[in-house]
Amino acid sequence: MSADKPRSPIESGCPDGFQYIHPVMRKNYGQWKFHEHPKPGVLRHVAYSGDEIWTVRVGTQRILDIFSLRELCDLGDEFADGYIHFTIRSNVEYMVSDAAKVEPLIKAIEAKGYIVGGTKNSVAMLSHTQGWLHCDIPGTDASGVVKSMMDELIDEFRECNMPNRVHITTSCCQINCGGQGDIAINIQHTKPPKINHDLVSNVCERPSVVARCPVAAIRPAMVNGKPSLEVDEKKCICCGACFPPCPPMQINDAEHSKLAVWVGGNHSNARSKPTFQKLVAAGIPNNPPRWPEATAIVKNILKAYKEDAQDWERINDWIERIGWPRFFEVTNLPFTKYHIDSWRGARNSLNASTHIRF
Ligand code: SF4
Ligand code: SF4
């Protein structure tokens, strides 16, 4: 047996990020005077001390294999003072303290096949959830949707041609991660779950499944002499919340699980309140490996936004100015009965308006 004392585990969460920050950023933390945007994909920050730091942003496919990660780290070691940084939208950022290092860094990045961009009024990397790679409840592979769409939007990432920045998100189930983007591509189940009654009693904790349903559509039932569950299909809103605690309530379906596109979500900031996404296209085929139908709709929305919005308007600002009827006109998207909130609980949300009262 080794005489070395085993290393005790550290259970205190992730390590302090400061030690990994570029030394110029560490030194000038909270002391930045201004920043500017010399070209797409590059930012220049100037501190009160006179120090400067240049950031070069690079798109990735988010789910990175070890070879790509090593390559990206090698680029950081060789061209970017040994530092690398990931943004929440899965871009890599390199920082250098000398303007002369920027162009050689960009050249080396592009020589490896990566793209520089995603700053200011461009389409930033689509953010996405885990999909089939690690989660247990996806109805589609979010990372595949992202890859197909970014392949077609690559020029919008590289250049700054949009009225303001555009954040796009995807989500591979209908209830959890994903939301709040200028455009969101989310899974949409259109049929209630199918129950495998033989498995329910062994796999599911029935009270927690019943409690999980947001519209109280599930109740305990005896089926073929075994304890099981039943769904009131008139009430069910096909959200899929019962599937994670009870996999025998299968909601994913090759034909009936679709994609939907929502637009206009935005977090609050110092100047404006948050805005919530609204459904603009439903029933889009969940069509791997390239999802052409969903991509065409997103490109169409971006084209209309680019042509019609004023400078600095985010997608939600643009729609608020032109109105929803005009949005459907300029995007050529059909307005259908599925756009109307007909759920019985909608009475409350409609009553939030001063124009319609019940
Ligand atoms: S969106 Fe749903 S399926 Fe996808 S990673 Fe999040 S919880 Fe899992
Ligand atoms: S899909 Fe949603 S609404 Fe339908 S039974 Fe399951 S939890 Fe309830």
Side-chain angles (χ1 to χ4, degrees), residues 3 24 48 75 124 126 152 154 170 242 262 320 354:
V24 174
Y48 284 105
L75 282 169
L126 271 70
E152 301 224 9
I154 185 168
T170 65
C242 48
W262 300 67
E320 197 173 310
T354 49

Side-chain angles (χ1 to χ4, degrees), residues 306-352:
K306 196 160 137 181
E307 286 170 1
D308 198 55
Q310 293 171 357
D311 281 354
W312 305 111
E313 278 180 334
R314 294 285 288 261
I315 287 188
N316 62 307
D317 303 322
W318 166 56
I319 299 171
E320 197 173 310
R321 179 172 58 79
I322 65 172
W324 284 99
R326 178 92 183 120
F327 170 85
F328 281 94
E329 265 170 48
V330 293
T331 52
N332 281 321
L333 289 169
F335 186 84
T336 69
K337 63 178 182 178
Y338 299 108
H339 292 100
I340 297 166
D341 191 354
S342 60
W343 177 54
R344 63 199 178 118
R347 186 187 170 113
N348 288 334
S349 47
L350 289 171
N351 267 342

